[in-house]
Amino acid sequence: MNASLRAAALAAPRPNLADTARRIAREVAAPNADAVDRDGRFPHEAVAAMRQAGLLGAAVPVALGGLGASIADIAAACYELGQGCGNAAMVFAMHQIQVACILRHGEASAWHQGFLRRLAAEQLLLASATTEAGPGGDVRSSECAVTNDSGRIALEKEGCVISYAAEADAVLITARRHPDAPPSDQVLLVAEKAQLNLQQVASWDTLGMRGTCSETHRLVADTAPEQLLPVPYAVMSAETMLPTSHITWAALWTGITTGAVARARAFLRDRARKAPPGATPPGAPRLAETLAQLQLMRANVAEAVHRYEAAMRETDALSSISFALAMNALKTGTSSMAVQVIGQAMLVAGLSGYRNNTPYSLGRHLRDAHSAALMISNDRILGNSAALLTAYRSDERLFA
């Protein structure tokens, strides 16, 4: 972001995204969440409400027509949306990750600045294509490559998973810089819907997060050269995509968990009203334990946001081992805790939480939470962290 846009962002009033997201979660996302899950369909109603409220352009600077939201604002919105519908929250998070990449790394590009203006004005929805058949889930490796022929950029990508591809207005695609480049020398291309030919090759019939519609595709793109982001993808991944992904995902997983604990608490309140005066329902101590764990999850997200905001003011910090380890730990820790805490909440609610036809049902929450460890495999992340730890000398302090 250039100096004039920074000044405008600082002078503009901060949006209250959390309140807006909370309203959408309660009034729109939650009432449709079971249907989205049952039918494996895109959360149309929630995304339409986000568009109407301007949330798809939330992170775009005010000077470009957006709301000028910070990463803290975006994380807070993910948390609120997650309480109503994990699928709607995940669509919002994945969109915001792509916006963050363009915002942070397209500041020197007139095309990308113009695209951000359009995004805010038209409330465009962005998706990503960072995987493919060969490297699988390794987003830092590509087999496909861009070619530049007669002033046009073209690429073909096989077996890439693209969430909500049918609904997206543009897709951000990773590829090798040129056909002779090594797999790790990647670029990121912004391709608009009219510039894409997508052929679905596998459906999305899953245990949870069914409404993200993350089908597998064969992708062919034909774009202008200026649509390539001018920064190597390795830089974008370390400085923006990885931390933004882990923070927004952790926030929404914490939101899903909060929603589950709220249902368990409502179950106990209902039982307490029917119990003799002074009697404590059997699950009350277990509920108190879940609240302590939930508090830790929230604190971890808040600390990660604080750390990222501080690191963005010092570029070297974004490429440090300690920062990468912290973001990795946020992702693996939160994804594991979500399943554990929701499982505890189900024990509190008993059969009423286990059944799918009660106000206290927790099956959807638990199934959605199980996706967390698989979205960029925890085993892959833990392996990367283990390798980093061999070269890391810790000087972490309790209070910075």
Side-chain angles (χ1 to χ4, degrees):
M1 192 185 306
N2 61 37
S4 62
L5 289 182
R6 282 195 186 94
L10 290 172
R14 292 287 294 279
N16 196 331
L17 255 64
D19 285 350
T20 303
R22 185 181 302 116
R23 175 184 59 78
I24 292 172
R26 291 177 178 175
E27 298 178 5
V28 184
N32 291 286
D34 286 338
V36 167
D37 174 67
R38 181 186 63 247
D39 301 335
R41 67 166 178 84
F42 185 74
H44 293 284
E45 301 87 352
V47 175
M50 294 179 208
R51 279 195 163 105
Q52 187 174 16
L55 292 195
L56 298 189
V60 176
V62 174
L64 296 179
L67 300 180
S70 67
I71 183 63
D73 298 320
I74 298 298
C78 289
Y79 171 75
E80 297 294 344
L81 291 168
Q83 294 179 60
C85 175
N87 288 284
M90 182 57 73
V91 171
F92 178 76
M94 289 191 286
H95 165 81
Q96 295 298 341
I97 294 162
Q98 310 315 308
V99 175
C101 289
I102 300 173
L103 176 61
R104 184 171 177 83
H105 303 287
E107 60 184 6
S109 165
W111 189 91
H112 292 96
Q113 293 297 291
F115 183 76
L116 287 173
R117 285 187 183 276
R118 283 186 49 213
L119 188 152
E122 302 172 31
Q123 291 294 293
L124 303 179
L125 179 63
L126 307 187
S128 71
T130 56
T131 60
E132 59 186 305
D138 184 1
V139 299
R140 283 293 292 111
S141 180
S142 291
E143 284 191 354
C144 69
V146 299
T147 59
N148 192 338
D149 184 23
S150 302
R152 297 295 294 176
I153 293 291
L155 72 85
E156 297 183 11
K157 194 164 190 172
E158 301 285 349
C160 52
V161 176
I162 308 174
S163 297
Y164 54 90
E167 309 297 333
D169 299 298
V171 180
L172 275 67
I173 312 163
T174 52
R176 286 183 294 141
R177 186 175 300 279
H178 52 78
D180 296 325
S184 61
D185 185 7
Q186 297 167 290
V187 292
L188 191 63
L189 173 68
V190 181
E192 300 189 59
K193 193 168 191 174
Q195 300 170 320
L196 291 170
N197 185 337
L198 294 174
Q199 178 185 357
Q200 183 180 328
V201 296
S203 61
W204 180 250
D205 186 3
T206 52
L207 183 71
M209 285 295 176
R210 295 169 52 77
T212 62
C213 304
S214 303
E215 293 98 357
T216 305
H217 297 81
R218 178 179 184 271
L219 177 153
V220 179
D222 179 9
T223 75
E226 56 265 29
Q227 293 173 235
L228 282 167
L229 280 154
V231 176
Y233 179 68
V235 174
M236 286 185 274
S237 177
E239 294 186 0
T240 305
M241 186 167 282
L242 185 147
T244 306
S245 296
H246 291 181
I247 287 171
T248 55
W249 291 347
L252 77 87
W253 294 329
T254 303
I256 293 171
T257 308
T258 299
V261 172
R263 289 196 174 194
R265 190 166 61 245
F267 171 83
L268 278 189
R269 281 200 304 266
D270 181 57
R271 290 300 177 269
R273 283 194 293 267
K274 300 174 182 177
T280 301
R286 192 182 293 275
L287 179 64
E289 184 181 7
T290 68
L291 290 175
Q293 294 171 309
L294 188 55
Q295 180 177 323
L296 180 58
M297 292 176 69
R298 291 174 182 147
N300 286 342
V301 175
E303 194 277 335
V305 168
H306 173 75
R307 186 165 193 155
Y308 188 34
E309 289 178 329
M312 283 193 285
R313 296 191 288 269
E314 184 182 349
T315 304
D316 289 345
L318 293 173
S319 58
S320 69
I321 292 177
S322 63
F323 180 74
L325 287 170
M327 293 299 113
N328 286 351
L330 172 70
K331 193 276 180 183
T332 57
T334 308
S335 59
S336 297
M337 288 187 71
V339 173
Q340 294 168 9
V341 178
I342 296 172
Q344 290 286 91
M346 184 171 286
L347 291 176
V348 172
L351 284 175
S352 293
Y354 188 69
R355 290 173 177 146
N356 288 323
N357 59 349
T358 79
Y360 315 110
S361 297
L362 294 173
R364 170 169 55 82
H365 299 74
L366 187 58
R367 288 185 290 101
D368 285 349
H370 271 290
S371 73
L374 307 176
M375 292 182 59
I376 305 181
S377 165
N378 275 7
D379 286 348
R380 186 189 297 274
I381 294 173
L382 290 170
N384 291 340
S385 291
L388 290 173
L389 281 167
T390 62
Y392 177 55
R393 292 185 178 181
S394 175
D395 60 352
E396 299 286 342
R397 301 180 181 182
L398 180 58
F399 301 108

